[in-house]
Amino acid sequence: MRRSARGDVDPFIVMDVMERARAAEAAGRRIVHMEVGQPGTGAPKGARDAVAAAMEAGPLGYTVALGLPELRARIARLYAEWYGIELDPARVIVTPGASGAFILAFTALFEAGEKVGLGLPGYPSYRQILRALSLQPVGLPTSPEARYQPVPDDVPPGLAGLILASPSNPSGTMLGREALGALADRCRETGTALISDEIYHGIQYEGRAISALEVDPDAVIVNSFSKYFSMTGWRIGWLVVPEAEVRRYERLAQNLFICTTHASQVAALAAMDCTEELDRNVGVYAANRALLLEGLPKAGFTDFAPPDGAFYVYAGLDGISQDSLDFAGEVLERAGVAVTPGLDFDPGRGGRTLRFSYARSTADITEGLERLTEFMSRR
């Protein structure tokens, strides 16, 4: 049988953890989910109502490849509301989730074999999508002192692109305007395309997240309705690209995806005006964050940078375990809590780290902490 080396990607370990947790639940166990970055809430009511009305009004078929014009215009207005940026809706491209946005961006920007930098720890699918597209991911190890974010000296010459994420997954730390601007300057100096993953914008606890468009109008922005808008299963995201490149992305989108799901676009448009409900969700994450910042040290997990945004804590396991995959399996089996091994985010150092998600209900997080504390006291 023929096989392409492009298919030789690593598994997305958190999805494997989810499957083990599902199997345990199917066997009758109660599992507390602190592994996956998925809000415990669903799409806001206004979004659900809009889809129901649209389905009654007529068939939901293909849309134009770039997305519903009214949705693109509403996304552009979000940049004025959140960042004070006047954005031309023509630069907005609606995509099948952030994953689809990355596939479009990487294909439009890079030639096969080129090198693309990304901070470690970082979202694992960056690496695997790059590999599947015959690109070379270059991990840039970050430090706790830099709060797990790259600094300009981490960025070598010779990179075709640099992926930044703020708030980041798995650490939840953010880049301030000065730090983000310095990285943008470094990219200009080295001829490196800047791709900014902003899917956790809207979920921050002190201050606001800075968009890369505020420091580099030519940055490629990736965002999604999965996190703040609580629409993970709807698979809808967006890109902001330079005006001169829109047609290139459009041609790719036409051929790769035809369009993003019509029903998801209808829901997303309505969700953008459900701010009150969505901000209540963020209030739950804030309460859960406070619980973890107090409870994890009591359970024995003391080494982590307090998250600025998103809904994760990335904790060190020094003195606990040198094998995060094995340890996460032990936690699932003995405590009934699903957590994510750090190997997903940093293949070199992730054996000594663990990610805790606090995206579920406060009752779930409280129970999870109680189980973790009891487990660690008996271990």
Side-chain angles (χ1 to χ4, degrees):
M1 295 180 64
R2 289 185 57 82
R3 292 180 177 177
S4 165
R6 292 193 303 272
D8 293 335
V9 299
D10 297 331
F12 195 175
I13 295 175
V14 69
M15 304 305 291
D16 289 345
V17 174
M18 282 181 65
E19 173 56 24
R20 288 187 62 186
R22 184 209 61 78
E25 288 171 326
R29 294 191 64 193
R30 155 76 176 159
I31 302 298
V32 178
H33 290 273
M34 297 179 69
E35 82 280 29
V36 67
Q38 174 169 266
T41 51
K45 184 178 186 304
R48 303 194 306 272
D49 290 346
V51 172
M55 292 176 67
E56 291 298 322
L60 298 177
Y62 294 137
T63 71
V64 292
L66 294 176
L68 293 172
E70 56 269 38
L71 176 57
R72 296 169 69 203
R74 182 63 184 88
I75 291 170
R77 182 153 61 91
L78 184 75
Y79 283 81
E81 296 168 353
W82 282 10
Y83 314 109
I85 295 173
E86 294 300 321
L87 179 65
D88 183 352
R91 296 177 59 189
V92 177
I93 300 169
V94 181
T95 62
S99 300
F102 285 121
I103 292 169
L104 283 178
F106 297 163
T107 306
L109 285 167
F110 308 125
E111 300 288 356
E114 287 191 309
K115 297 178 179 180
V116 180
L118 48 99
L120 296 178
Y123 179 57
S125 292
Y126 299 149
R127 306 192 308 273
Q128 313 311 336
I129 295 171
L130 289 167
R131 288 182 178 132
L133 294 175
S134 298
L135 298 163
Q136 296 185 55
V138 178
L140 309 176
T142 63
S143 68
E145 292 75 24
R147 307 193 75 247
Y148 298 112
Q149 290 283 0
V151 298
D153 287 346
D154 293 333
V155 183
L159 295 181
L162 174 67
I163 306 169
L164 298 176
S166 173
S168 75
N169 176 10
S171 68
T173 60
M174 294 197 307
L175 290 162
R177 182 185 298 272
E178 183 177 346
L180 187 55
L183 285 162
D185 289 344
R186 176 61 176 167
C187 286
R188 281 188 286 268
E189 175 189 328
T190 56
T192 302
L194 175 58
I195 303 168
S196 181
D197 178 352
E198 301 181 357
I199 72 170
Y200 292 99
H201 281 214
I203 306 175
Q204 56 266 331
Y205 308 105
E206 296 178 10
R208 71 168 178 86
I210 306 297
S211 174
L213 289 180
E214 298 179 63
V215 298
D216 181 357
D218 291 327
V220 172
I221 307 300
V222 176
N223 210 320
S224 168
F225 287 90
S226 289
K227 308 304 181 179
Y228 172 73
F229 294 98
S230 196
M231 293 176 59
T232 52
W234 296 78
R235 307 313 303 138
I236 179 166
W238 74 85
L239 282 164
V240 179
V241 305
E243 183 178 0
E245 299 300 311
V246 171
R247 180 58 177 162
R248 174 183 296 273
Y249 284 83
E250 182 179 27
R251 293 194 303 263
L252 285 166
Q254 289 169 340
N255 287 285
L256 289 174
F257 307 121
I258 301 180
C259 67
T260 300
T261 304
H262 192 165
S264 296
Q265 294 187 63
V266 171
L269 177 60
M272 298 189 79
D273 291 323
C274 297
T275 304
E276 184 176 342
E277 181 178 346
L278 297 169
D279 285 346
R280 284 200 300 270
N281 294 344
V282 176
V284 172
Y285 308 145
N288 293 350
R289 173 182 180 268
L291 285 173
L292 283 187
L293 293 185
E294 179 182 359
L296 283 178
K298 293 179 180 178
F301 303 98
T302 59
D303 179 19
F304 56 84
D308 304 308
F311 31 57
Y312 308 115
V313 173
Y314 191 63
L317 294 177
D318 286 349
I320 300 173
S321 175
Q322 297 295 305
D323 185 341
S324 62
L325 187 62
D326 180 73
F327 182 73
E330 186 182 352
V331 173
L332 179 60
E333 178 63 29
R334 295 178 54 193
V337 179
V339 294
T340 306
L343 286 171
D344 233 2
F345 312 103
D346 189 337
R349 302 174 297 175
R352 302 188 301 277
T353 57
L354 211 60
R355 189 193 72 176
F356 299 92
S357 170
Y358 53 89
R360 306 284 287 211
S361 70
T362 300
D364 280 352
I365 301 307
T366 300
E367 181 181 355
L369 276 172
E370 290 172 350
R371 291 185 179 203
L372 286 168
T373 301
E374 182 182 359
F375 163 74
M376 292 294 287
S377 69
R378 291 186 284 104
R379 189 174 185 269

